[in-house]
Amino acid sequence: MIEDPSPARPGAGLKAYEVVLAWVDERILDGRLRVGDTLPAERELARMLDVGRAAVREAVRTLEAQGVVRSSVGAGGAGGTMITAVPSGALARLLRLHVALANFPLPDVLEVRVALETVSVRLAAAHATPEQLAEMTRLLDLMETPGIDRERFNDHDTAFHVALAEAAGNQLARDVTAAIRESMRLPILDAFRTVGDWDEVADKLRADHRRIHTAIAAGDGDLAAAATEEHIRSAWRLIATD
């Protein structure tokens, strides 16, 4: 268990449970709390931070929902609350929600997508497995289904970009890239629904995807990155200017 009698110094306006969260955040960020460490018991933490035990319980529930801590069954309060590594899925979920809710200007999202996805495809060109390449091919084939509607096309389009990120072999690049692309699913679908010549747009997107896949399969990271940047920017122009 971490023994730390130093008082919390929360900013003005923090709620009681936020004082506890700030205490935990600060100690994770500066290395005083690491994976496997146990928080002080509920009563002790409440005394240290001058908050009620209910505030400690609320903070622990929040941290559990975020995947930051795990409480042992029957331990009671925070006595058995251990710092854990945040599961990749939990991190991706939080990123998706925060990006989607923040209402970032779309041009800002575009530039970040270009930066992240070009990194991802460079890595994918070096690390993609035969199985990952086959999954990309499967998604490309689905996007070429005759008469496919715009929503299904968009679902497969999103899945293709996530598959590119997953093939990168870098968990952080994968999760951030996938989170941003998935958070944009509905705005892109809205644009698909209103675009003038859908068949022309869909054909252009299919051709772009094939070029990216071909470059990755050939192990050409530079070509994959260039094709990805051109794809993201040209797709933006097709959708945004219609």
Side-chain angles (χ1 to χ4, degrees):
M1 182 183 71
I2 294 294
E3 294 288 349
D4 189 349
S6 60
R9 294 180 175 84
L14 288 182
K15 297 178 181 177
Y17 84 95
E18 291 174 331
V19 171
V20 183
L21 293 177
W23 186 91
V24 174
D25 287 352
E26 179 184 345
R27 281 148 185 79
I28 289 175
L29 292 172
D30 68 17
R32 281 179 283 175
L33 280 175
R34 300 179 182 274
V35 173
D37 289 341
T38 303
L39 296 183
E42 179 184 291
R43 185 189 301 274
E44 175 63 12
L45 192 51
R47 183 193 63 78
M48 288 166 50
L49 302 180
D50 193 25
V51 298
R53 294 176 65 175
V56 175
R57 288 192 292 272
E58 185 174 359
V60 168
R61 285 194 295 268
T62 299
L63 293 168
E64 284 182 312
Q66 295 172 347
V68 175
V69 302
R70 181 179 66 248
S71 294
S72 302
V73 176
T81 302
M82 181 180 294
I83 303 293
T84 63
V86 178
S88 177
L91 174 60
R93 177 176 176 273
L94 285 173
L95 285 169
R96 285 197 304 272
L97 294 175
H98 281 294
V99 172
L101 292 172
N103 292 319
F104 293 113
L106 291 180
D108 290 358
V109 177
L110 170 73
E111 294 302 327
V112 174
R113 277 195 63 198
V114 168
L116 285 171
E117 295 198 36
T118 52
V119 169
S120 290
V121 297
R122 284 183 187 277
L123 292 170
H127 301 295
T129 65
E131 294 76 16
Q132 289 168 332
L133 290 169
E135 173 62 11
M136 294 176 205
T137 299
R138 186 185 73 84
L139 293 167
L140 292 173
D141 290 342
L142 287 172
M143 277 184 272
E144 293 181 355
T145 302
I148 186 171
D149 63 42
R150 301 179 195 202
E151 184 168 0
R152 289 186 180 180
F153 184 98
N154 188 44
D155 287 342
H156 299 321
D157 189 336
T158 297
F160 177 75
H161 283 268
V162 172
L164 294 176
E166 288 176 344
N170 181 303
Q171 289 188 358
L172 183 58
R174 177 197 66 193
D175 288 350
V176 176
T177 302
I180 291 176
R181 184 58 179 81
E182 290 181 356
S183 74
M184 293 300 297
R185 177 184 173 276
L186 290 180
I188 291 173
L189 179 57
D190 287 341
F192 282 177
R193 286 170 174 157
T194 57
V195 73
D197 190 339
W198 165 246
D199 290 336
E200 179 182 342
V201 170
D203 285 344
K204 176 66 167 63
L205 295 176
R206 292 181 184 111
D208 287 353
H209 291 151
R210 289 288 181 187
R211 280 194 291 272
I212 295 167
H213 178 263
T214 298
I216 291 174
D220 191 332
D222 290 340
L223 183 58
T228 297
E229 179 168 3
E230 195 280 332
H231 163 62
I232 293 173
R233 294 193 185 281
S234 65
W236 168 258
R237 289 192 297 269
L238 285 169
I239 292 170
T241 60
D242 194 271

